[in-house]
Amino acid sequence: MTDTATFLDTARQVITDEARALDVLAEALDDKFVRALKLILTAKGRIIVSGIGKSGHIGRKIAATLASTGTPAQFVHPAEASHGDLGMIAKGDVVLAISNSGEAPELANLVAYTRRFDIPLIGLSSRPDSTLMTQADEHLLIPNRGEACGFGMVPTISTTLTLAMGDALAVALMKYRHFGPENFRDFHPGGKLGAQLSKVRDLMHVGEALPMVAADTPMSEALLEISRKSFGVAGVTDASGALIGIITDGDLRRHMAGLLSQTAKDVMTANPTTIGPDALAEQAVAVMNRRKITCLFVVDPAGSRNAVGLLHIHDCLRVGLG
């Protein structure tokens, strides 16, 4: 067998072993998971996550996921906890302590602190009879499926299962709290994710920047408005100010004969595609791509059809959408 085949066989075996272990974890979830979830929901403070070694690395990720999905959480290193950071844990908090063996000595002072001050403790381990699990108020048990290295020494399957348990907790809590994209955006304003969660109102042009003309405006004036505002379009309004049409380059080409003798209403495309200011910008991009247009007028969501903004595809591309 070639080195390449050997490497691939080993890699596939690792992933297969971990996938099978995840199936076992999913099937094993029971009322203990629900009780741990409810304990977290009763917390008036934060979820304090702690663990040492690889469990600590996974714990940091769990704490970050909880915090970013509406459950205030913080990672406390157990060694630092023994040197003053126990003061970070207060009444109203819930502690989630992670140890695959359940016997990590570094967790001893943290566990003792929770017992002394009656702070709820959730243990996450693969050994139900371990010190951690016998001390804990609630238990998150991961199946003991060994490790993918074949000799039980390298944290692989156990860390995958622990991470999955943390994700299950975070998403279950998120769904219970009806934590949706609008909330998610508040915690993720930067980067590609922040762009995907931007609202139309965050990117649209407003006020004097809007290219708008009345229905009876002569096309000579409408052309000046289109040129001044540089969007290549103009919105057309009726006497009440409601948007009734749009003038685009295509409309101008179709009415070239006698264009300057016509009014905006004569040339416009009626009932243009619009969007509301609270729609996600990503949704607006999808609409523009589907309709093969480059901009959308944003209308008052109250139903007046008054234009309150204009979103151009370039505004979306500038923040990484499209």
Side-chain angles (χ1 to χ4, degrees):
M1 184 180 290
T2 65
D3 286 344
T4 298
T6 300
F7 294 153
L8 290 175
D9 284 347
T10 299
R12 288 179 179 129
Q13 187 60 55
V14 170
I15 294 170
T16 298
D17 289 345
E18 292 189 349
R20 288 172 177 165
L22 286 168
D23 286 338
V24 173
L25 174 63
E27 290 298 322
L29 291 179
D30 56 17
D31 287 347
K32 294 185 180 67
F33 179 86
V34 177
R35 291 201 298 269
L37 200 72
K38 288 181 177 178
L39 184 58
I40 291 173
L41 287 168
T42 65
K44 292 182 172 58
R46 295 161 301 168
I47 309 307
I48 305 298
V49 184
S50 191
I52 196 73
K54 302 301 184 293
S55 292
H57 293 310
I58 298 299
R60 288 182 186 277
K61 194 275 179 184
I62 292 174
T65 301
L66 288 168
S68 70
T69 53
T71 300
Q74 176 181 337
F75 180 82
V76 173
H77 195 286
E80 297 296 337
S82 298
H83 294 276
D85 283 2
L86 285 173
M88 294 181 177
I89 307 170
K91 283 281 190 182
D93 292 342
V94 170
V95 172
L96 171 61
I98 304 170
S99 170
N100 184 44
S101 69
E103 300 295 347
E106 295 85 356
L107 285 172
N109 289 334
L110 179 68
V111 171
Y113 185 84
T114 66
R115 305 302 81 190
R116 186 181 312 125
F117 293 101
D118 198 27
I119 294 171
L121 173 65
I122 300 171
L124 200 169
S125 174
S126 67
R127 299 184 179 176
D129 57 350
S130 63
T131 301
L132 172 61
M133 297 298 259
T134 54
Q135 290 291 317
D137 299 296
E138 298 296 347
H139 311 90
L140 294 172
L141 185 66
I142 59 173
N144 189 349
R145 303 284 295 183
E147 302 293 0
C149 61
F151 48 84
M153 300 295 292
V154 183
T156 46
I157 292 176
S158 61
T159 49
T160 298
L161 294 177
T162 302
L163 182 61
M165 183 70 85
D167 288 343
L169 276 176
V171 175
L173 289 163
M174 185 175 117
K175 288 186 178 295
Y176 178 87
R177 291 181 168 129
H178 303 293
F179 188 97
E182 302 301 314
N183 311 102
F184 204 68
R185 178 182 176 276
D186 293 336
F187 296 139
H188 300 79
K192 177 70 173 178
L193 186 56
Q196 289 175 331
L197 296 172
S198 295
K199 291 182 179 180
V200 168
R201 69 166 67 253
D202 299 324
L203 304 178
M204 70 184 188
H205 300 270
V206 299
E208 290 299 315
L210 296 184
M212 306 298 296
V213 295
D216 58 357
T217 301
M219 279 305 300
S220 57
E221 295 180 23
L223 287 170
L224 289 175
E225 177 73 354
I226 292 172
S227 178
R228 277 196 299 265
K229 301 301 172 64
S230 302
F231 291 108
V233 300
V236 182
T237 61
D238 64 14
S240 69
L243 183 73
I244 59 171
I246 186 173
I247 300 172
T248 68
D249 287 341
D251 295 316
L252 296 178
R253 288 193 297 271
R254 284 188 291 272
H255 293 83
M256 283 298 295
L259 178 65
L260 297 182
S261 65
Q262 301 179 72
T263 65
K265 187 174 183 180
D266 297 328
V267 174
M268 73 179 191
T269 295
N271 302 313
T273 302
T274 61
I275 199 163
D278 291 319
L280 291 177
E282 192 170 43
Q283 178 186 346
V285 171
V287 172
M288 285 188 270
N289 287 337
R290 187 170 62 249
R291 299 298 299 270
K292 294 181 171 55
I293 57 179
T294 59
C295 61
L296 284 172
F297 273 99
V298 185
V299 297
D300 184 353
S304 66
R305 293 290 296 175
N306 287 356
V308 296
L310 176 70
L311 182 69
H312 197 281
I313 189 65
H314 290 163
D315 303 315
C316 302
L317 294 173
R318 189 174 59 250
V319 298
L321 295 175

